[in-house]
């Protein structure tokens, strides 16, 4: 499939004239053809105008039509075939099995949201029927449904070129919610972005959706990304990336005439808590599993286990020894971009030379220029408390083990942590009572608490929370993975005393969409 | 019941030493005893520390215990008896029937949230059971529930001294969500605040809730209100008031190290749309009903009908004539505070002297110093479009009628409006087709659309949305009235592979709380 380097603005495919971007081979650092033209502010304006004019029509599409549209995107992505995987491998440095898995996840997500749309529970229908006889005042008829917020800006993520980029979780959930989407492609994988973008563009056409339902823009600088968040026709933004990038978008959004929500998924070090009995009984096995999680995808996961807390002593020594032995055998892996690799090496260097940090182990040395060598560091609770920079995420396969004098100080350390996506507890039954006392602090600080596992597998389901208090995300009231992610792009509207003829289908008396509804506060399943 | 003028910090009752506040008799402008001591920053810190330490315990109280606590607050408010109504009449200038009604609403809200807590649907339980046999990877066990955000700051509202102040909608929904509350009393009704605050304080004690579940602070300046929103132990704020006040809090919240949501309900002019057939057939009746809604509570409602749009012609002339005749008979009413009265008079004066605005009618003149005289103005669509200041809310019984050349220009005007709490359509069956074409724009701009009525009656139910896009509220994704208001103070947490012994009751296998649950994405009612 020939790449054009073109912007996709509605059904148009046009070459941007505002500078150009070339992808870089993540392994070699060499530029890859073709050049992608950067969007101008006029291109941005056109995409926003199209999205705005599409919104009222798109958000009222019938559930089945919208579900089929999401499924068509999924099928079109599969239909690209191996070209997608190969281009993506070049651009991201990620290996084939990982990208095939990620494609499966992307397609699965789109299909899950198709089911969410068919099911219709996201519409949150509530009906309080009129009570004309109520004293002293008759009660009006009130009906509520959720509608889409409006056009959504989605920023492609470097570390998930498929599952969190052009047709990833943010796009899928926004489209499911009835919101047109404008994607700002990540400059690290413009070819992947174009291929997937064309899959979406074709689905828009084939399914008869309004033209402005989807656009894809390349940005040779920062004007387009910033311009999107500032445009008054954009009503929300989804972002996965660095804390600097996310907080910059949050500030832009808060400074608008009409502030909008930014769902930025930023940074997290995902504490792993080793409890005494588990550490004693299974320390070596946990150490090996920990290293497997740590080096997965070159450690470039938001849920990478970047921090381990445990009570100091021989059992922890054994854990560190086992983890170190395993880590030394791990090969260096090509990182997503030369820039990410450089940042990683700098951060690891800084940690290694920190006065209060010792290096427990390094992985195998890099065989080529852009591979990240894994790293395991050790420090004390006291040093961790005093040096806030030790809490900063190192994006890559690096982790820090903190020797705590006792469980009480370990719990205190938890209270000093920033908001996190996940926390993992390793416990045996004899640890339950102690573990229970940690839960309140963990609930306040994380979006997901897991036992005897690691956060790196993020199941795309209905009960998943991939979110957490600031700064792990911009808005801890939400998740960016799983079916609940649709809630981010919805708002409730109430209809009072509307004649049946004017009511949207979702809240009509005879329930034509067969929705579960809350009648007078009581949930009733569609028969 | 003797007022003390004291701050209520947990179970303590202490006189604040940071300046003092006296209430002012709304009718006479005379100061009323006693003096209320303003809180110091040390008082604020103590209240926050108590709230923070109460949070983990309070949010895990059993549903029945928390429901009984809300009901005890309601009963304690009733038990104050007439002292509450009389003090509140003096402080607010509102008449007895209105305040008795508002007390009923306040008590009803608390009891509704008790039912919401017992019902438990707000916990949003989702369970995706483990699938150990799944290929290629086994599926983990994932369970989700919502928990409270943390301690919430509530700002008392001038225009609802009972229903949106110390134990009003924000407080009731935050307490129901499991969040401790610190109220910053409105300086216009400190006595009412103390009486209600003591009712809450007593319920905390009688129900055995943690001491920091509730505190009440008086603020002689702005330091305490601002300090609350800036304190890192406060995780959300609820506010009802002016746009200036609300946006100032939003900015403070966004500038925190950890930004927090502010639910500010600010300003709205609540457009009323008169469609041709309704106007022709019922113009006079609608005009009379409109004036009744306009002058209710001296027009001091967030949902006051401040704007009327209709097609120009003899039918609109007849409507204006009928409304003017009715308005001329309306008595001036004491406004909430001398300051609000002064602002109202200034805004009405400015409108009356606007070059593009004509005065259709004024109500009866004031009989005393702090009464607002109602006002009805007329302008053209062209003038309204050109003068953005004509969109500004005049808080009080004043409204502006806009003569539109045709329905198309009326629809265009809608698109130029800022976000609104409500929009009311007056239609006969022959207007349905035209009305339908207005709905998309109204849905995008308002939280509640109503037919053949006015927004001033805000039913406290399950399907109510009292919210709307910015600037009607800070966050159009929410409602501050009705049972859905609880969602503002919640966030989801996911639990992966936790042993049954460590799971919260809400997500245990055997469903001890008898909750409706979403199992594998499918809603299942508790049997």
């Amino acid at each position: 499939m020939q790449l054009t380097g073109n912007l996709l603005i509605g059904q148009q495919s046009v070459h941007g004239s505002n500078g150009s971007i070339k992808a870089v081979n993540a392994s070699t650092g060499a530029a890859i053809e073709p050049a992608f033209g950067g969007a101008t502010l006029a291109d941005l304006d056109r995409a926003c105008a199209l999205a705005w004019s599409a919104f009222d029509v798109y958000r009222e599409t019938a559930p089945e039509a919208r579900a089929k549209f999401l499924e068509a995107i999924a099928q079109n992505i599969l239909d690209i075939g191996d070209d997608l995987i190969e281009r993506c491998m070049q651009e991201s440095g990620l290996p084939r099995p990982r990208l095939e898995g990620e494609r499966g996840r992307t397609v699965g997500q789109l299909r899950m949201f198709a089911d969410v749309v068919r099911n219709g529970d996201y519409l949150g229908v509530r009906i309080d029927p009129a009570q004309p006889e109520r004293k002293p005042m008759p009660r009006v008829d009130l009906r509520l449904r959720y509608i889409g917020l409006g056009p959504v800006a989605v920023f492609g993520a470097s570390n998930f070129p498929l599952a969190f980029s052009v047709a990833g979780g943010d796009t899928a959930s926004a489209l499911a919610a009835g919101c047109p989407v404008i994607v700002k492609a990540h400059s690290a994988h413009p070819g992947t972005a174009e291929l997937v973008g064309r899959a979406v563009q074709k689905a828009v056409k084939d399914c008869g959706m309004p033209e402005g339902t989807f656009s894809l823009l390349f940005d040779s600088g920062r004007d387009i990304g910033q311009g999107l968040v500032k445009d008054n026709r954009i009503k929300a933004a989804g972002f996965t990336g660095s804390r600097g990038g996310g907080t910059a978008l949050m500030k832009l959004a808060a400074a608008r005439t009409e502030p909008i929500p930014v769902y930025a998924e930023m940074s997290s070090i995902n504490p792993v808590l080793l409890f005494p009995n588990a550490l004693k009984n299974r320390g070596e096995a946990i150490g090996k599993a920990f290293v497997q999680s740590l080096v997965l995808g070159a450690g470039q996961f938001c849920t990478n286990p970047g921090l381990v807390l445990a009570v100091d002593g021989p059992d922890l020594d054994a854990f560190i020894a086992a983890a170190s032995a395993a880590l030394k055998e791990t090969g260096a892996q090509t990182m997503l971009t030369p820039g990410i690799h450089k940042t990683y090496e700098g951060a690891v260097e800084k940690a290694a030379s920190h006065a209060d940090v010792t290096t427990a182990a390094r992985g195998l040395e890099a065989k080529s220029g852009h591979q990240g060598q894994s790293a395991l560091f050790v420090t004390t609770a006291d040093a961790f408390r005093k040096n806030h920079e030790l809490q900063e995420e190192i994006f890559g396969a690096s982790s820090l083990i903190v020797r705590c004098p006792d469980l009480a100080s370990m719990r205190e350390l938890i209270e000093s942590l920033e908001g996190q996506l996940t926390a993992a507890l390793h416990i045996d039954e004899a640890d339950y009572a102690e573990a229970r006392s940690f839960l309140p602090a963990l609930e306040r600080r994380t979006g997901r608490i897991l036992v005897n596992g690691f956060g790196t597998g993020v199941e795309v389901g209905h009960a998943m929370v991939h979110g957490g208090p600031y700064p792990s995300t911009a808005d801890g009231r939400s998740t960016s993975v799983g079916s609940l992610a649709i809630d981010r792009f919805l708002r409730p509207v109430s209809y009072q005393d509307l004649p049946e003829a004017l009511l949207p289908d979702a809240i009509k008396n005879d329930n034509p969409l067969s929705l579960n509804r809350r009648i007078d506060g009581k949930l009733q399943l569609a028969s």
Side-chain angles (χ1 to χ4, degrees), chain A:
Chain A
M1 202 178 255
Q2 192 72 36
L3 290 171
T4 63
N6 283 357
L7 310 169
L8 306 179
I9 302 180
Q11 286 300 312
Q12 288 193 297
S13 171
V14 290
H15 205 77
S17 61
N18 185 18
S20 80
I21 304 145
K22 275 190 187 171
V24 167
N25 185 303
S27 306
T28 66
I32 323 176
E33 295 300 323
F36 290 77
T40 62
L41 291 175
D43 294 325
L44 169 68
D45 181 65
R46 209 141 38 92
C48 289
L50 277 172
W52 186 246
S53 74
F55 177 46
D56 283 344
V57 178
Y58 179 65
R59 69 185 168 92
E60 293 298 347
T61 47
E64 187 57 28
R66 202 187 298 166
K68 285 218 163 79
F69 167 53
L70 294 169
E71 289 167 342
I73 297 172
Q75 189 57 49
N76 291 352
I77 289 171
L78 291 176
D79 288 348
I80 304 169
D82 213 44
D83 286 0
L84 179 62
I85 301 297
E86 287 188 354
R87 175 80 193 190
C88 195
M89 283 169 68
Q90 288 179 36
E91 291 184 331
S92 69
L94 294 169
R96 174 177 286 278
R98 150 68 194 268
L99 289 175
E100 287 178 349
E102 192 179 325
R103 178 175 60 185
R105 180 190 169 118
T106 308
V107 166
Q109 260 174 183
L110 286 158
R111 290 174 176 159
M112 178 189 71
F113 279 113
D115 289 342
V116 166
V117 168
R118 285 194 180 94
N119 167 285
D121 284 346
Y122 78 96
L123 293 164
V125 169
R126 292 169 166 236
I127 300 180
D128 296 344
Q131 293 176 353
E133 311 300 329
R134 189 182 68 171
K135 304 289 173 197
M137 296 269 288
R139 191 173 84 169
V140 296
D141 179 275
L142 267 181
R143 290 154 195 256
L144 180 153
R145 67 162 179 167
Y146 280 79
I147 68 170
L149 287 178
V152 171
V154 171
F155 290 76
S158 66
N159 63 338
F160 279 97
L162 299 172
F164 266 84
S165 288
V166 178
D170 287 339
T171 298
S173 53
L175 288 176
C179 300
V181 168
I182 302 176
V183 174
K184 201 286 281 176
H186 198 287
S187 299
H189 52 258
T192 305
E194 184 191 329
L195 291 172
V196 176
R198 279 155 60 181
V200 183
Q201 189 187 47
K202 181 173 184 301
V204 168
K205 188 181 177 194
D206 291 349
C207 298
M209 293 294 153
E211 183 181 359
T213 302
F214 174 79
S215 289
L216 172 67
L217 302 177
F218 298 102
D219 187 2
S220 62
R222 293 188 170 183
D223 288 354
I224 298 305
Q226 293 180 356
L228 262 177
V229 172
K230 288 196 278 191
D231 193 284
N232 64 13
R233 292 160 293 193
I234 296 294
K235 301 301 184 187
F239 170 91
T240 300
S242 69
R243 193 189 302 194
T247 52
L249 294 184
M250 287 172 72
K251 285 198 170 69
L252 284 178
R256 286 168 49 126
T257 310
E258 178 196 356
I260 57 168
V262 170
Y263 299 102
E265 201 247 272
M266 301 187 284
S267 59
S268 181
I269 53 174
N270 306 296
V272 174
L273 285 65
L274 308 177
F275 282 76
N277 293 284
L279 191 60
K280 184 176 175 183
N281 299 332
R282 304 183 281 119
E284 196 178 317
I286 299 171
K288 283 180 186 168
F290 158 67
V291 169
Q292 278 189 334
S293 170
L294 178 62
V295 303
L296 202 69
Q300 301 164 121
F301 286 113
C302 323
T303 50
N304 199 51
L307 181 70
V308 179
L309 304 178
V311 175
D312 203 5
D315 294 335
L316 180 56
D317 291 340
F319 169 87
I320 294 174
S324 296
L327 190 100
K328 281 176 187 159
E329 305 292 316
T330 60
Q333 297 171 77
T334 300
M335 296 193 74
L336 291 159
T337 70
I340 287 173
H341 174 250
K342 194 176 164 200
T343 302
Y344 172 74
E345 293 295 346
V348 165
E349 188 55 45
K350 192 177 152 200
S353 61
H354 196 289
D356 294 330
V357 172
T358 57
T359 302
R362 293 298 305 264
L364 298 171
E365 280 187 16
K367 289 180 185 153
S368 75
H370 305 292
Q371 291 186 330
Q373 185 188 0
S374 42
L376 187 59
F377 300 107
V378 180
T379 191
T380 63
D382 202 39
F384 187 79
R385 209 173 5 244
K386 282 180 190 153
N387 296 283
H388 186 75
E389 71 272 20
L390 294 179
Q391 273 203 42
E392 283 166 22
E393 182 186 27
I394 297 179
F395 190 70
S398 171
S399 192
L400 176 65
I401 299 170
V402 180
R403 294 181 186 272
C404 303
D406 51 31
L407 280 169
S409 67
M410 196 163 130
R411 197 163 42 218
E412 270 173 48
L413 272 199
I414 295 288
E415 294 287 4
S416 74
L417 291 180
E418 295 183 319
Q420 304 289 335
L421 293 171
T422 71
L425 291 79
H426 289 266
I427 50 177
D428 279 0
E429 203 164 336
D431 297 311
Y432 285 4
E434 284 292 353
R436 184 177 295 114
S437 75
F438 276 69
L439 290 179
L442 295 175
E443 288 169 333
R444 275 188 270 106
R445 273 191 176 61
T446 71
R448 177 165 55 115
I449 297 169
L450 55 143
V451 163
N452 293 338
F454 296 92
T456 36
V458 184
E459 187 69 35
V460 181
H462 304 285
M464 173 54 70
V465 176
H466 187 66
Y470 186 90
S472 66
T473 72
D475 188 337
R477 292 168 294 173
S478 63
T479 173
S480 61
V481 173
S483 61
L484 195 57
I486 193 172
D487 281 14
R488 297 177 297 168
F489 302 114
L490 296 166
R491 49 173 277 263
V493 177
S494 186
Y495 301 78
Q496 179 175 320
D497 285 339
L498 260 66
E500 181 84 1
L502 293 186
L503 284 174
D505 283 351
I507 51 177
K508 281 200 163 91
N509 274 328
D510 59 353
N511 197 11
L513 302 184
S514 290
L515 300 171
N516 300 324
R517 309 187 294 182
R518 187 174 299 279
I519 311 286
D520 257 334
K522 203 166 151 19
L523 211 46
Q524 295 186 4
L525 299 186
S527 53

